[in-house]
Amino acid sequence: MPDETLSLLERTLPHEPYFHVKRVGNQFETRGATTGHLGHEIQGAGARAGEGLFAKWQWDGTALHAQVDECGFYPLYYYATDTECAISPSIPMLLRLGASSELDYAALSVFMRIGWFIGADTPYRSIRAFLPNGSLMWSATGIHVTGAVPLGKPSHLSRSEGIDGYIQLFRAALRRRLPKDDNFTVLLTGGRDSRHQLYELCLAGHKPKIGHSIGEYIVASNVEMEAAGAVAKATGVQHRITNQVQSAFALEIRNNLGTNFCADEHSWLWPLADYLRGKYNTIYDGLGGSIFDRGFQLTETRLDLCESGRLHELADDLMNKEETLSLLSESLTTLCPRELAISHLVEELRIHIGTPNPIDSFLFWTRTRRESVLSSYRVLDGSHTVFCPFIDLALVDHLASLPGRMMLDHNFHDETIHRAFPQHAHIPFGPKGDPLQMSWKQSWQLTGELSALLATRQKSQFIRYSFLIPRMMRCLIDKKYSDSILWIGQYSLYFLQLEALPQQLEQFNRQHPIPPATKTNATPR
């Protein structure tokens, strides 16, 4: 893994945008791009200020100004002290530039148990994510950071009115994001979000030639691909399936670095991202769907806990990954106790109490904004524009205004699509949440690669080898247990990489020194 990680750093870090400013005496030392604009802004009829998914900054010689979109979805991070500040979409880049690698144990205590970071958290205390409608202003006189979640307000619409509003607002959202030429594609699954996009694109007179799906990742769902193929056939769109070509081990290592150690998923998408890179000017992604419109992880029990103010019980119910902590060393789990995770999670949950749908409000503004978005703007992002019509300000306001209990049957989006496109109502949806499985051969391969890595590591401060190694051996001899290598390998690699990253970045910097700074007078104009 050390050689693999260094190779990945060599391929990716030189291309990561950033800006770094430091005051030394009466001078500013700056590195990187003094002006940056990432993602895209939406303008024109119906668009509001801050519409789109973007991050931008400007250094004017005395002050750094940075801003993200109103929803705060474009992943941008910063670290700042009285004497320096740096911003980048890459956390490894910020560490390379000098951000402290001290871990944020409250943030990690939550991540270990739910799989994503909340608020402005990252794995590191010194590095923060921008909040929705976030802005930063840094100068020699100090730093000012703003941002807050735009919470939903009740609209008191009926279910039928809510569906009609969804149809109209999504249609308008997509038409504000039409492709500028014919060189575009849609990511197509067997679910709801991608087909809704495809149907609306066709209705608007912009039918893609090809829709792309990711096929074999571990074991592909035939039902999922059959549903995606049926949607493509019904719309006259060619359907191309890209299968996994790298090992699960290599994909996890790449994914942890690529998603800034802020996600426990997305490794499945890299083969498709590699294939698409440079082939299209525009890609349509269903990011943002399936939360407010389908009641993702919404249950009546959780709504009852919200309404009665029992937030500690709600936080406890949301945290369902305690098994993964068995892998971790006693010293790490002692620093990340469940009580700390509950306390930290309750602070974030409290923000959403009183909204029409507090559970999905929490999930949309944390899981979708902090983790799901990384598939669109870290894995897929490249030479093309990635449009996500579900992240539209008017549409988000509308869906967030509908009561959570309206979504308890989890069929709201199904009804919306069927009402808008009754001619396609016969096409089934893919399975909901089928667990991933590995073939016996894949299980052996991942276990073998992980074993080879451990042979180069005599000890770890993060991983408990006395738990890990016996279970790896069981994966090799017990076919009923072999699928466990999925979560064992995933979380082992995450924490082994997290532990090794500071030293690997030091080695990288020795081999590839940081570019010299530009020096300017720090005297105010």
PDB file of all heavy atoms in Angstrom, residues 230-261:
ATOM      1  N   ALA A 230     -34.400  -1.757 -19.546  1.00  0.00           N
ATOM      2  CA  ALA A 230     -35.779  -1.529 -19.988  1.00  0.00           C
ATOM      3  C   ALA A 230     -36.071  -0.038 -20.141  1.00  0.00           C
ATOM      4  O   ALA A 230     -36.760   0.376 -21.076  1.00  0.00           O
ATOM      5  CB  ALA A 230     -36.745  -2.162 -18.993  1.00  0.00           C
ATOM      6  N   VAL A 231     -35.547   0.782 -19.235  1.00  0.00           N
ATOM      7  CA  VAL A 231     -35.713   2.230 -19.333  1.00  0.00           C
ATOM      8  C   VAL A 231     -35.031   2.753 -20.590  1.00  0.00           C
ATOM      9  O   VAL A 231     -35.584   3.580 -21.333  1.00  0.00           O
ATOM     10  CB  VAL A 231     -35.155   2.929 -18.077  1.00  0.00           C
ATOM     11  CG1 VAL A 231     -35.094   4.435 -18.269  1.00  0.00           C
ATOM     12  CG2 VAL A 231     -36.004   2.584 -16.855  1.00  0.00           C
ATOM     13  N   ALA A 232     -33.812   2.292 -20.837  1.00  0.00           N
ATOM     14  CA  ALA A 232     -33.083   2.725 -22.029  1.00  0.00           C
ATOM     15  C   ALA A 232     -33.835   2.321 -23.307  1.00  0.00           C
ATOM     16  O   ALA A 232     -33.980   3.126 -24.239  1.00  0.00           O
ATOM     17  CB  ALA A 232     -31.678   2.130 -22.020  1.00  0.00           C
ATOM     18  N   LYS A 233     -34.325   1.099 -23.345  1.00  0.00           N
ATOM     19  CA  LYS A 233     -35.037   0.627 -24.531  1.00  0.00           C
ATOM     20  C   LYS A 233     -36.311   1.421 -24.763  1.00  0.00           C
ATOM     21  O   LYS A 233     -36.625   1.791 -25.914  1.00  0.00           O
ATOM     22  CB  LYS A 233     -35.372  -0.860 -24.363  1.00  0.00           C
ATOM     23  CG  LYS A 233     -36.063  -1.469 -25.577  1.00  0.00           C
ATOM     24  CD  LYS A 233     -36.309  -2.959 -25.374  1.00  0.00           C
ATOM     25  CE  LYS A 233     -37.001  -3.557 -26.606  1.00  0.00           C
ATOM     26  NZ  LYS A 233     -37.254  -5.028 -26.419  1.00  0.00           N
ATOM     27  N   ALA A 234     -37.022   1.735 -23.687  1.00  0.00           N
ATOM     28  CA  ALA A 234     -38.277   2.474 -23.821  1.00  0.00           C
ATOM     29  C   ALA A 234     -38.067   3.877 -24.350  1.00  0.00           C
ATOM     30  O   ALA A 234     -38.966   4.454 -24.982  1.00  0.00           O
ATOM     31  CB  ALA A 234     -38.990   2.527 -22.469  1.00  0.00           C
ATOM     32  N   THR A 235     -36.902   4.451 -24.105  1.00  0.00           N
ATOM     33  CA  THR A 235     -36.617   5.815 -24.555  1.00  0.00           C
ATOM     34  C   THR A 235     -35.766   5.855 -25.818  1.00  0.00           C
ATOM     35  O   THR A 235     -35.422   6.944 -26.306  1.00  0.00           O
ATOM     36  CB  THR A 235     -35.906   6.606 -23.437  1.00  0.00           C
ATOM     37  OG1 THR A 235     -34.753   5.870 -22.992  1.00  0.00           O
ATOM     38  CG2 THR A 235     -36.830   6.842 -22.258  1.00  0.00           C
ATOM     39  N   GLY A 236     -35.399   4.693 -26.345  1.00  0.00           N
ATOM     40  CA  GLY A 236     -34.586   4.652 -27.550  1.00  0.00           C
ATOM     41  C   GLY A 236     -33.157   5.064 -27.333  1.00  0.00           C
ATOM     42  O   GLY A 236     -32.502   5.579 -28.248  1.00  0.00           O
ATOM     43  N   VAL A 237     -32.645   4.800 -26.132  1.00  0.00           N
ATOM     44  CA  VAL A 237     -31.278   5.169 -25.778  1.00  0.00           C
ATOM     45  C   VAL A 237     -30.431   3.901 -25.690  1.00  0.00           C
ATOM     46  O   VAL A 237     -30.846   2.904 -25.083  1.00  0.00           O
ATOM     47  CB  VAL A 237     -31.250   5.927 -24.433  1.00  0.00           C
ATOM     48  CG1 VAL A 237     -29.822   6.142 -23.951  1.00  0.00           C
ATOM     49  CG2 VAL A 237     -31.974   7.263 -24.564  1.00  0.00           C
ATOM     50  N   GLN A 238     -29.260   3.943 -26.301  1.00  0.00           N
ATOM     51  CA  GLN A 238     -28.351   2.803 -26.181  1.00  0.00           C
ATOM     52  C   GLN A 238     -27.892   2.668 -24.736  1.00  0.00           C
ATOM     53  O   GLN A 238     -27.655   3.660 -24.055  1.00  0.00           O
ATOM     54  CB  GLN A 238     -27.142   3.014 -27.102  1.00  0.00           C
ATOM     55  CG  GLN A 238     -26.142   1.865 -27.096  1.00  0.00           C
ATOM     56  CD  GLN A 238     -24.942   2.141 -27.983  1.00  0.00           C
ATOM     57  OE1 GLN A 238     -24.978   3.025 -28.830  1.00  0.00           O
ATOM     58  NE2 GLN A 238     -23.876   1.388 -27.786  1.00  0.00           N
ATOM     59  N   HIS A 239     -27.758   1.440 -24.262  1.00  0.00           N
ATOM     60  CA  HIS A 239     -27.386   1.184 -22.871  1.00  0.00           C
ATOM     61  C   HIS A 239     -26.027   0.502 -22.832  1.00  0.00           C
ATOM     62  O   HIS A 239     -25.844  -0.580 -23.402  1.00  0.00           O
ATOM     63  CB  HIS A 239     -28.436   0.304 -22.199  1.00  0.00           C
ATOM     64  CG  HIS A 239     -28.206   0.078 -20.745  1.00  0.00           C
ATOM     65  ND1 HIS A 239     -28.570  -1.077 -20.082  1.00  0.00           N
ATOM     66  CD2 HIS A 239     -27.639   0.885 -19.796  1.00  0.00           C
ATOM     67  CE1 HIS A 239     -28.248  -0.981 -18.812  1.00  0.00           C
ATOM     68  NE2 HIS A 239     -27.678   0.193 -18.613  1.00  0.00           N
ATOM     69  N   ARG A 240     -25.062   1.137 -22.167  1.00  0.00           N
ATOM     70  CA  ARG A 240     -23.733   0.560 -22.047  1.00  0.00           C
ATOM     71  C   ARG A 240     -23.424   0.266 -20.588  1.00  0.00           C
ATOM     72  O   ARG A 240     -23.603   1.134 -19.726  1.00  0.00           O
ATOM     73  CB  ARG A 240     -22.651   1.489 -22.605  1.00  0.00           C
ATOM     74  CG  ARG A 240     -21.281   0.823 -22.648  1.00  0.00           C
ATOM     75  CD  ARG A 240     -20.179   1.777 -23.043  1.00  0.00           C
ATOM     76  NE  ARG A 240     -18.939   1.065 -23.341  1.00  0.00           N
ATOM     77  CZ  ARG A 240     -18.101   0.586 -22.426  1.00  0.00           C
ATOM     78  NH1 ARG A 240     -18.369   0.734 -21.143  1.00  0.00           N
ATOM     79  NH2 ARG A 240     -17.003  -0.043 -22.786  1.00  0.00           N
ATOM     80  N   ILE A 241     -22.967  -0.939 -20.314  1.00  0.00           N
ATOM     81  CA  ILE A 241     -22.621  -1.354 -18.954  1.00  0.00           C
ATOM     82  C   ILE A 241     -21.103  -1.484 -18.845  1.00  0.00           C
ATOM     83  O   ILE A 241     -20.467  -2.177 -19.644  1.00  0.00           O
ATOM     84  CB  ILE A 241     -23.294  -2.691 -18.596  1.00  0.00           C
ATOM     85  CG1 ILE A 241     -24.811  -2.564 -18.678  1.00  0.00           C
ATOM     86  CG2 ILE A 241     -22.874  -3.133 -17.197  1.00  0.00           C
ATOM     87  CD1 ILE A 241     -25.551  -3.876 -18.504  1.00  0.00           C
ATOM     88  N   THR A 242     -20.518  -0.808 -17.875  1.00  0.00           N
ATOM     89  CA  THR A 242     -19.080  -0.892 -17.617  1.00  0.00           C
ATOM     90  C   THR A 242     -18.860  -1.731 -16.369  1.00  0.00           C
ATOM     91  O   THR A 242     -19.425  -1.434 -15.306  1.00  0.00           O
ATOM     92  CB  THR A 242     -18.475   0.508 -17.408  1.00  0.00           C
ATOM     93  OG1 THR A 242     -18.663   1.270 -18.599  1.00  0.00           O
ATOM     94  CG2 THR A 242     -16.983   0.416 -17.097  1.00  0.00           C
ATOM     95  N   ASN A 243     -18.056  -2.756 -16.480  1.00  0.00           N
ATOM     96  CA  ASN A 243     -17.811  -3.650 -15.350  1.00  0.00           C
ATOM     97  C   ASN A 243     -16.536  -3.267 -14.605  1.00  0.00           C
ATOM     98  O   ASN A 243     -15.655  -2.590 -15.138  1.00  0.00           O
ATOM     99  CB  ASN A 243     -17.728  -5.097 -15.821  1.00  0.00           C
ATOM    100  CG  ASN A 243     -19.075  -5.618 -16.287  1.00  0.00           C
ATOM    101  OD1 ASN A 243     -20.115  -5.220 -15.761  1.00  0.00           O
ATOM    102  ND2 ASN A 243     -19.068  -6.479 -17.281  1.00  0.00           N
ATOM    103  N   GLN A 244     -16.439  -3.754 -13.397  1.00  0.00           N
ATOM    104  CA  GLN A 244     -15.253  -3.533 -12.576  1.00  0.00           C
ATOM    105  C   GLN A 244     -14.062  -4.269 -13.177  1.00  0.00           C
ATOM    106  O   GLN A 244     -14.164  -5.425 -13.569  1.00  0.00           O
ATOM    107  CB  GLN A 244     -15.517  -4.044 -11.161  1.00  0.00           C
ATOM    108  CG  GLN A 244     -14.316  -3.995 -10.238  1.00  0.00           C
ATOM    109  CD  GLN A 244     -14.609  -4.658  -8.903  1.00  0.00           C
ATOM    110  OE1 GLN A 244     -15.763  -4.881  -8.574  1.00  0.00           O
ATOM    111  NE2 GLN A 244     -13.579  -4.970  -8.157  1.00  0.00           N
ATOM    112  N   VAL A 245     -12.933  -3.574 -13.253  1.00  0.00           N
ATOM    113  CA  VAL A 245     -11.725  -4.208 -13.789  1.00  0.00           C
ATOM    114  C   VAL A 245     -10.607  -4.278 -12.764  1.00  0.00           C
ATOM    115  O   VAL A 245      -9.716  -5.117 -12.864  1.00  0.00           O
ATOM    116  CB  VAL A 245     -11.227  -3.463 -15.054  1.00  0.00           C
ATOM    117  CG1 VAL A 245     -12.222  -3.643 -16.191  1.00  0.00           C
ATOM    118  CG2 VAL A 245     -11.006  -1.993 -14.782  1.00  0.00           C
ATOM    119  N   GLN A 246     -10.624  -3.379 -11.782  1.00  0.00           N
ATOM    120  CA  GLN A 246      -9.611  -3.406 -10.729  1.00  0.00           C
ATOM    121  C   GLN A 246     -10.096  -4.276  -9.573  1.00  0.00           C
ATOM    122  O   GLN A 246     -11.291  -4.539  -9.421  1.00  0.00           O
ATOM    123  CB  GLN A 246      -9.324  -1.997 -10.217  1.00  0.00           C
ATOM    124  CG  GLN A 246      -8.666  -1.070 -11.231  1.00  0.00           C
ATOM    125  CD  GLN A 246      -8.526   0.334 -10.669  1.00  0.00           C
ATOM    126  OE1 GLN A 246      -9.460   1.101 -10.635  1.00  0.00           O
ATOM    127  NE2 GLN A 246      -7.325   0.653 -10.205  1.00  0.00           N
ATOM    128  N   SER A 247      -9.170  -4.688  -8.729  1.00  0.00           N
ATOM    129  CA  SER A 247      -9.551  -5.465  -7.559  1.00  0.00           C
ATOM    130  C   SER A 247     -10.234  -4.562  -6.542  1.00  0.00           C
ATOM    131  O   SER A 247     -10.050  -3.334  -6.532  1.00  0.00           O
ATOM    132  CB  SER A 247      -8.310  -6.092  -6.920  1.00  0.00           C
ATOM    133  OG  SER A 247      -7.511  -5.093  -6.290  1.00  0.00           O
ATOM    134  N   ALA A 248     -11.050  -5.159  -5.672  1.00  0.00           N
ATOM    135  CA  ALA A 248     -11.720  -4.391  -4.628  1.00  0.00           C
ATOM    136  C   ALA A 248     -10.697  -3.702  -3.728  1.00  0.00           C
ATOM    137  O   ALA A 248     -10.923  -2.587  -3.242  1.00  0.00           O
ATOM    138  CB  ALA A 248     -12.612  -5.319  -3.801  1.00  0.00           C
ATOM    139  N   PHE A 249      -9.561  -4.340  -3.504  1.00  0.00           N
ATOM    140  CA  PHE A 249      -8.486  -3.779  -2.683  1.00  0.00           C
ATOM    141  C   PHE A 249      -7.975  -2.474  -3.297  1.00  0.00           C
ATOM    142  O   PHE A 249      -7.888  -1.443  -2.628  1.00  0.00           O
ATOM    143  CB  PHE A 249      -7.356  -4.807  -2.591  1.00  0.00           C
ATOM    144  CG  PHE A 249      -6.157  -4.379  -1.784  1.00  0.00           C
ATOM    145  CD1 PHE A 249      -6.116  -4.594  -0.420  1.00  0.00           C
ATOM    146  CD2 PHE A 249      -5.065  -3.777  -2.402  1.00  0.00           C
ATOM    147  CE1 PHE A 249      -5.006  -4.220   0.327  1.00  0.00           C
ATOM    148  CE2 PHE A 249      -3.947  -3.399  -1.667  1.00  0.00           C
ATOM    149  CZ  PHE A 249      -3.923  -3.617  -0.295  1.00  0.00           C
ATOM    150  N   ALA A 250      -7.639  -2.509  -4.594  1.00  0.00           N
ATOM    151  CA  ALA A 250      -7.112  -1.312  -5.267  1.00  0.00           C
ATOM    152  C   ALA A 250      -8.147  -0.210  -5.314  1.00  0.00           C
ATOM    153  O   ALA A 250      -7.824   0.984  -5.155  1.00  0.00           O
ATOM    154  CB  ALA A 250      -6.654  -1.676  -6.676  1.00  0.00           C
ATOM    155  N   LEU A 251      -9.421  -0.562  -5.519  1.00  0.00           N
ATOM    156  CA  LEU A 251     -10.475   0.451  -5.589  1.00  0.00           C
ATOM    157  C   LEU A 251     -10.682   1.133  -4.244  1.00  0.00           C
ATOM    158  O   LEU A 251     -10.907   2.346  -4.180  1.00  0.00           O
ATOM    159  CB  LEU A 251     -11.781  -0.193  -6.063  1.00  0.00           C
ATOM    160  CG  LEU A 251     -11.831  -0.592  -7.542  1.00  0.00           C
ATOM    161  CD1 LEU A 251     -13.103  -1.371  -7.835  1.00  0.00           C
ATOM    162  CD2 LEU A 251     -11.738   0.641  -8.441  1.00  0.00           C
ATOM    163  N   GLU A 252     -10.607   0.379  -3.149  1.00  0.00           N
ATOM    164  CA  GLU A 252     -10.779   0.978  -1.825  1.00  0.00           C
ATOM    165  C   GLU A 252      -9.644   1.949  -1.511  1.00  0.00           C
ATOM    166  O   GLU A 252      -9.872   3.035  -0.965  1.00  0.00           O
ATOM    167  CB  GLU A 252     -10.860  -0.105  -0.749  1.00  0.00           C
ATOM    168  CG  GLU A 252     -12.151  -0.892  -0.744  1.00  0.00           C
ATOM    169  CD  GLU A 252     -13.368  -0.046  -0.412  1.00  0.00           C
ATOM    170  OE1 GLU A 252     -13.216   1.006   0.245  1.00  0.00           O
ATOM    171  OE2 GLU A 252     -14.473  -0.425  -0.832  1.00  0.00           O
ATOM    172  N   ILE A 253      -8.406   1.571  -1.833  1.00  0.00           N
ATOM    173  CA  ILE A 253      -7.269   2.458  -1.593  1.00  0.00           C
ATOM    174  C   ILE A 253      -7.433   3.757  -2.378  1.00  0.00           C
ATOM    175  O   ILE A 253      -7.252   4.857  -1.853  1.00  0.00           O
ATOM    176  CB  ILE A 253      -5.956   1.748  -1.967  1.00  0.00           C
ATOM    177  CG1 ILE A 253      -5.638   0.664  -0.947  1.00  0.00           C
ATOM    178  CG2 ILE A 253      -4.798   2.742  -2.061  1.00  0.00           C
ATOM    179  CD1 ILE A 253      -4.408  -0.142  -1.268  1.00  0.00           C
ATOM    180  N   ARG A 254      -7.808   3.616  -3.631  1.00  0.00           N
ATOM    181  CA  ARG A 254      -8.014   4.801  -4.469  1.00  0.00           C
ATOM    182  C   ARG A 254      -9.167   5.648  -3.951  1.00  0.00           C
ATOM    183  O   ARG A 254      -9.109   6.880  -3.948  1.00  0.00           O
ATOM    184  CB  ARG A 254      -8.290   4.340  -5.902  1.00  0.00           C
ATOM    185  CG  ARG A 254      -8.442   5.466  -6.900  1.00  0.00           C
ATOM    186  CD  ARG A 254      -8.693   4.898  -8.288  1.00  0.00           C
ATOM    187  NE  ARG A 254      -8.803   5.950  -9.272  1.00  0.00           N
ATOM    188  CZ  ARG A 254      -9.125   5.727 -10.540  1.00  0.00           C
ATOM    189  NH1 ARG A 254      -9.358   4.486 -10.951  1.00  0.00           N
ATOM    190  NH2 ARG A 254      -9.218   6.736 -11.396  1.00  0.00           N
ATOM    191  N   ASN A 255     -10.224   4.980  -3.528  1.00  0.00           N
ATOM    192  CA  ASN A 255     -11.419   5.699  -3.094  1.00  0.00           C
ATOM    193  C   ASN A 255     -11.176   6.500  -1.823  1.00  0.00           C
ATOM    194  O   ASN A 255     -11.654   7.635  -1.692  1.00  0.00           O
ATOM    195  CB  ASN A 255     -12.570   4.712  -2.878  1.00  0.00           C
ATOM    196  CG  ASN A 255     -13.887   5.411  -2.674  1.00  0.00           C
ATOM    197  OD1 ASN A 255     -14.381   6.100  -3.552  1.00  0.00           O
ATOM    198  ND2 ASN A 255     -14.457   5.242  -1.492  1.00  0.00           N
ATOM    199  N   ASN A 256     -10.465   5.937  -0.874  1.00  0.00           N
ATOM    200  CA  ASN A 256     -10.211   6.655   0.374  1.00  0.00           C
ATOM    201  C   ASN A 256      -9.466   7.959   0.120  1.00  0.00           C
ATOM    202  O   ASN A 256      -9.812   9.005   0.687  1.00  0.00           O
ATOM    203  CB  ASN A 256      -9.432   5.768   1.348  1.00  0.00           C
ATOM    204  CG  ASN A 256     -10.276   4.642   1.900  1.00  0.00           C
ATOM    205  OD1 ASN A 256     -11.486   4.754   2.013  1.00  0.00           O
ATOM    206  ND2 ASN A 256      -9.636   3.524   2.220  1.00  0.00           N
ATOM    207  N   LEU A 257      -8.447   7.908  -0.734  1.00  0.00           N
ATOM    208  CA  LEU A 257      -7.718   9.123  -1.080  1.00  0.00           C
ATOM    209  C   LEU A 257      -8.585  10.073  -1.897  1.00  0.00           C
ATOM    210  O   LEU A 257      -8.639  11.273  -1.642  1.00  0.00           O
ATOM    211  CB  LEU A 257      -6.455   8.789  -1.866  1.00  0.00           C
ATOM    212  CG  LEU A 257      -5.208   8.407  -1.073  1.00  0.00           C
ATOM    213  CD1 LEU A 257      -4.094   8.018  -2.032  1.00  0.00           C
ATOM    214  CD2 LEU A 257      -4.757   9.558  -0.179  1.00  0.00           C
ATOM    215  N   GLY A 258      -9.277   9.527  -2.882  1.00  0.00           N
ATOM    216  CA  GLY A 258     -10.042  10.363  -3.791  1.00  0.00           C
ATOM    217  C   GLY A 258     -11.203  11.069  -3.147  1.00  0.00           C
ATOM    218  O   GLY A 258     -11.582  12.173  -3.562  1.00  0.00           O
ATOM    219  N   THR A 259     -11.801  10.452  -2.127  1.00  0.00           N
ATOM    220  CA  THR A 259     -12.938  11.065  -1.440  1.00  0.00           C
ATOM    221  C   THR A 259     -12.525  11.726  -0.132  1.00  0.00           C
ATOM    222  O   THR A 259     -13.365  12.005   0.724  1.00  0.00           O
ATOM    223  CB  THR A 259     -14.041  10.028  -1.164  1.00  0.00           C
ATOM    224  OG1 THR A 259     -13.515   8.985  -0.338  1.00  0.00           O
ATOM    225  CG2 THR A 259     -14.565   9.425  -2.457  1.00  0.00           C
ATOM    226  N   ASN A 260     -11.224  11.985   0.034  1.00  0.00           N
ATOM    227  CA  ASN A 260     -10.733  12.746   1.182  1.00  0.00           C
ATOM    228  C   ASN A 260     -10.996  12.072   2.521  1.00  0.00           C
ATOM    229  O   ASN A 260     -11.130  12.741   3.546  1.00  0.00           O
ATOM    230  CB  ASN A 260     -11.359  14.142   1.200  1.00  0.00           C
ATOM    231  CG  ASN A 260     -10.908  14.988   0.043  1.00  0.00           C
ATOM    232  OD1 ASN A 260      -9.716  15.146  -0.195  1.00  0.00           O
ATOM    233  ND2 ASN A 260     -11.853  15.545  -0.704  1.00  0.00           N
ATOM    234  N   PHE A 261     -11.088  10.739   2.523  1.00  0.00           N
ATOM    235  CA  PHE A 261     -11.382  10.000   3.763  1.00  0.00           C
ATOM    236  C   PHE A 261     -12.695  10.462   4.384  1.00  0.00           C
ATOM    237  O   PHE A 261     -12.868  10.412   5.603  1.00  0.00           O
ATOM    238  CB  PHE A 261     -10.229  10.126   4.770  1.00  0.00           C
ATOM    239  CG  PHE A 261      -8.969   9.460   4.316  1.00  0.00           C
ATOM    240  CD1 PHE A 261      -8.018  10.149   3.566  1.00  0.00           C
ATOM    241  CD2 PHE A 261      -8.726   8.132   4.606  1.00  0.00           C
ATOM    242  CE1 PHE A 261      -6.861   9.522   3.120  1.00  0.00           C
ATOM    243  CE2 PHE A 261      -7.565   7.490   4.179  1.00  0.00           C
ATOM    244  CZ  PHE A 261      -6.632   8.198   3.428  1.00  0.00           C
TER     245      PHE A 261
END
